[in-house]
Amino acid sequence: MSWNLRGKYAIAGVGQSALGAVPGCTAVGLLCEAIKNALTDAGLQKGDVDGLITRGPDDVYCHHQRIGAALGLNVTFSTTLDNGGASQCLAVGMACMAIEAGLCHTVVCGYGRDSWSRTRSPEARMRVSLIPEPQQAKEFGPEFGFIGAAGMHALGAQRHMHLYGTTREQLGAIATTFRSHAQRNPAAQMREPLTMQQYLNARWIVEPFGLYDCSPVTDGAGAVVVTSAERARDLKRPPAYILAASSANNLKGWFADENMVQTAAKRSGEIAFGQAGVTPADIDTAQLYDCFTYMAMVQLEDYGFCKKGDGGAFAASGVLAMNGALPTNTSGGQLSEGHVEGMLQIVEAVRQVRHEHPADRRVADAQLALVSGHGGNTVCHSSLILGRQT
Amino acid sequence: MSGEFAWIAASGKGKVHSFVVYHRAYHPSLADAVPYVVALIELDEGPRMISNIVGCAAGEVRCDMPVEVTFENVSDSVVLPKFQPIGRS
């Protein structure tokens, strides 16, 4: 597979909405707020946008149309993606392809959700899932009490513990490290201190996952503006050059082969490093899709930051902290900043390669950032490598 | 992949590929069931399926543990295949 788009396109602006509990605002409203912020950040007007790739709650039909209507926007290219948490990095890659194909010039990619509000409204409290009923798996599941995304991902964590001796304390190091990052991020949803003892003493969600292995339900949105590198250089902000945009999908399923302990991140990562012409050792900061602690850990292995099976010890070594060798999820990640399906991981990677954070949140001289997206029943994966230079 | 499919009788034996333990009832119908074990069973014939481990304490379940099927009558019309450690029946 060849890729000839390296450095040809860039993210020219990023934005987000308020995060956490944002009552009175719909998922569409939150995303419109994020998009307006991203356009302002880039120094662009709504009329400059001719492409739109979005994703929102699964039960919103033709989501991009709803966003276009709310913003008052006609475009030449738009679609809604359906790869779950892998959709957001994929959207950026698709934006490059659409521009390259001559379908449009400037594409807004965004994701918004109102999950906190939904799960706290009186009628929503009776629901067991945010996935609309027609999309829920029917055969072999609820009749055995197999409910929720936590159970699905926890099966992988248990298998990893069995094969490699991974421990709860090692997963806890991920939760506590990302929380310490969120404490420096005024916008983060979860900013209270989190100790290892609190992590270990928390109630089970689905063993081996306790409360702090799981990302919170969040109201929030994020958006980025993708355009040509040439155009981005003329705009307000330093461009974050898109050096790689890849995906890989283990469509045989989470339960097939050893997919629970070696995810599609491995193949997606190999493609991304090939596209960018760099190695894992060259990456200055990683923004990983951490819906659960285990998913961040297994991706550290799959991307080749450490050997298969060593992810727990690697994470517990302190390497993921702001002063570590691979500062990871520096905004707090989905576990603590808020679960916006990976969109804020892209936003944070851009901010890091732009060197715009205050000193306590800035990765020193960040040149290369890796971003991952993961989802769609935990089989779909997508990757970006963003660079300060082409 | 062949388009030829056929039903075969499975031995009912397999092993626990992985498992999780639910300590909370996320649906009212499960209130009396907690704590219960949901497992991904790998049948000796190859296919993997979600089921429950019964006949032992949740704390005794291990990955790769050999198990065999036991059928549970949930109602007059519904029978669920569950699994128990081999030798416990």
Side-chain angles (χ1 to χ4, degrees), chain A residues 71-190:
Chain A
L71 289 173
L73 196 62
N74 293 326
V75 297
T76 49
F77 177 78
S78 68
T79 192
T80 298
L81 298 188
D82 192 22
N83 282 32
S87 302
Q88 283 53 257
C89 289
L90 184 63
V92 172
M94 285 183 69
C96 299
M97 294 181 233
I99 302 170
E100 177 75 12
L103 297 174
C104 48
H105 299 94
T106 299
V107 183
V108 166
C109 305
Y111 174 87
R113 75 188 326 171
D114 53 357
S115 301
W116 190 93
S117 292
R118 280 180 184 228
T119 49
R120 274 152 184 81
S121 67
E123 66 274 16
R125 280 201 166 276
M126 295 304 291
R127 291 188 214 156
V128 296
S129 175
L130 293 167
I131 301 169
E133 207 261 340
Q135 290 178 20
Q136 290 177 19
K138 295 294 188 301
E139 192 177 10
F140 300 135
E143 65 272 44
F144 297 109
F146 185 46
I147 292 169
M152 180 86 99
H153 292 81
L155 280 170
Q158 184 83 269
R159 182 80 186 158
H160 199 281
M161 289 169 160
H162 171 69
L163 291 176
Y164 304 113
T166 305
T167 66
R168 289 259 304 143
E169 284 80 358
Q170 290 171 342
L171 295 180
I174 291 175
T176 54
T177 301
F178 294 176
R179 179 61 62 89
S180 73
H181 297 167
Q183 289 184 280
R184 307 164 196 221
N185 175 1
Q189 182 175 358
M190 310 292 284

Side-chain angles (χ1 to χ4, degrees), chain A residues 5-42:
Chain A
L5 305 186
R6 186 188 183 283
K8 209 169 163 185
Y9 299 99
I11 295 176
V14 298
Q16 67 189 67
S17 72
L19 300 175
V22 193
C25 202
T26 65
V28 169
L30 290 164
L31 181 46
C32 287
E33 181 190 341
I35 290 173
K36 285 177 187 169
N37 289 337
L39 289 172
T40 302
D41 185 56

Side-chain angles (χ1 to χ4, degrees), chain A residues 188-203:
Chain A
Q189 182 175 358
M190 310 292 284
R191 302 188 63 214
E192 308 77 19
L194 177 65
T195 65
M196 181 62 79
Q197 211 52 49
Q198 285 173 302
Y199 166 87
L200 292 170
N201 291 343
R203 67 176 186 268

Side-chain angles (χ1 to χ4, degrees), chain A residues 37-362:
Chain A
N37 289 337
L39 289 172
T40 302
D41 185 56
L44 289 169
Q45 306 292 318
K46 192 175 69 180
D48 297 319
V49 176
D50 56 3
L52 182 63
I53 308 176
T54 67
R55 177 170 160 77
D58 286 297
D59 56 355
V60 178
Y61 176 70
C62 218
H63 185 265
H64 59 113
Q65 188 267 322
R66 298 277 300 275
I67 298 301
L71 289 173
L73 196 62
N74 293 326
V75 297
T76 49
F77 177 78
S78 68
T79 192
T80 298
L81 298 188
D82 192 22
N83 282 32
S87 302
Q88 283 53 257
C89 289
L90 184 63
V92 172
M94 285 183 69
C96 299
M97 294 181 233
I99 302 170
E100 177 75 12
L103 297 174
C104 48
H105 299 94
T106 299
V107 183
V108 166
C109 305
Y111 174 87
R113 75 188 326 171
D114 53 357
S115 301
W116 190 93
S117 292
R118 280 180 184 228
T119 49
R120 274 152 184 81
S121 67
E123 66 274 16
R125 280 201 166 276
M126 295 304 291
R127 291 188 214 156
V128 296
S129 175
L130 293 167
I131 301 169
E133 207 261 340
Q135 290 178 20
Q136 290 177 19
K138 295 294 188 301
E139 192 177 10
F140 300 135
E143 65 272 44
F144 297 109
F146 185 46
I147 292 169
M152 180 86 99
H153 292 81
L155 280 170
Q158 184 83 269
R159 182 80 186 158
H160 199 281
M161 289 169 160
H162 171 69
L163 291 176
Y164 304 113
T166 305
T167 66
R168 289 259 304 143
E169 284 80 358
Q170 290 171 342
L171 295 180
I174 291 175
T176 54
T177 301
F178 294 176
R179 179 61 62 89
S180 73
H181 297 167
Q183 289 184 280
R184 307 164 196 221
N185 175 1
Q189 182 175 358
M190 310 292 284
R191 302 188 63 214
E192 308 77 19
L194 177 65
T195 65
M196 181 62 79
Q197 211 52 49
Q198 285 173 302
Y199 166 87
L200 292 170
N201 291 343
R203 67 176 186 268
W204 293 118
I205 298 301
V206 181
E207 188 185 348
F209 283 165
L211 179 65
Y212 299 110
D213 289 295
C214 306
S215 49
V217 286
T218 301
D219 294 335
V224 302
V225 183
V226 179
T227 193
S228 69
E230 191 179 18
R231 186 166 194 211
R233 279 191 281 271
D234 292 336
L235 295 174
K236 226 166 85 180
R237 294 290 202 161
Y241 294 104
I242 299 162
L243 306 183
S246 65
S247 74
N249 304 308
N250 284 342
L251 300 184
K252 286 168 70 180
W254 180 238
F255 295 157
D257 304 327
E258 285 293 351
N259 291 347
M260 294 197 302
V261 294
Q262 181 170 290
T263 72
K266 180 169 172 58
R267 184 82 187 101
S268 185
E270 288 165 355
I271 296 169
F273 289 123
Q275 289 174 341
V278 301
T279 70
D282 297 320
I283 298 295
D284 298 305
T285 178
Q287 309 296 334
L288 302 178
Y289 195 93
D290 58 336
C291 46
F292 300 96
T293 50
Y294 169 67
M295 296 312 295
M297 195 217 72
V298 74
Q299 288 174 54
L300 291 168
E301 300 173 357
D302 292 339
Y303 276 104
F305 292 114
C306 63
K307 275 194 331 195
K308 178 53 65 183
D310 289 354
F314 183 73
S317 72
V319 71
L320 309 182
M322 285 305 302
N323 59 356
L326 183 70
T328 295
N329 291 14
T330 46
S331 62
Q334 303 197 112
L335 286 165
S336 283
E337 183 185 33
H339 190 314
V340 186
E341 257 203 13
M343 196 70 223
L344 297 182
Q345 276 54 56
I346 308 175
V347 170
E348 174 68 5
V350 170
R351 289 175 173 154
Q352 289 294 357
V353 299
R354 294 198 314 206
H355 299 182
E356 69 185 36
H357 276 314
D360 66 333
R361 294 175 64 192
R362 192 189 316 143

Side-chain angles (χ1 to χ4, degrees), chain A residues 128 140-141 143-148 151 154-156 158-159 162 203-208 255-258 260, chain B residues 16-24 26-27 30 36-40 48-52 63-64 80-82:
Chain A
V128 296
F140 300 135
E143 65 272 44
F144 297 109
F146 185 46
I147 292 169
L155 280 170
Q158 184 83 269
R159 182 80 186 158
H162 171 69
R203 67 176 186 268
W204 293 118
I205 298 301
V206 181
E207 188 185 348
F255 295 157
D257 304 327
E258 285 293 351
M260 294 197 302
Chain B
V16 174
H17 185 72
S18 192
F19 69 97
V20 294
V21 186
Y22 283 76
H23 296 267
R24 295 179 66 198
Y26 294 106
H27 189 274
L30 297 163
Y36 63 91
V37 176
V38 171
L40 181 63
R48 291 177 185 168
M49 59 181 285
I50 287 290
S51 184
N52 297 126
C63 290
D64 292 337
L80 291 179
K82 299 193 173 183

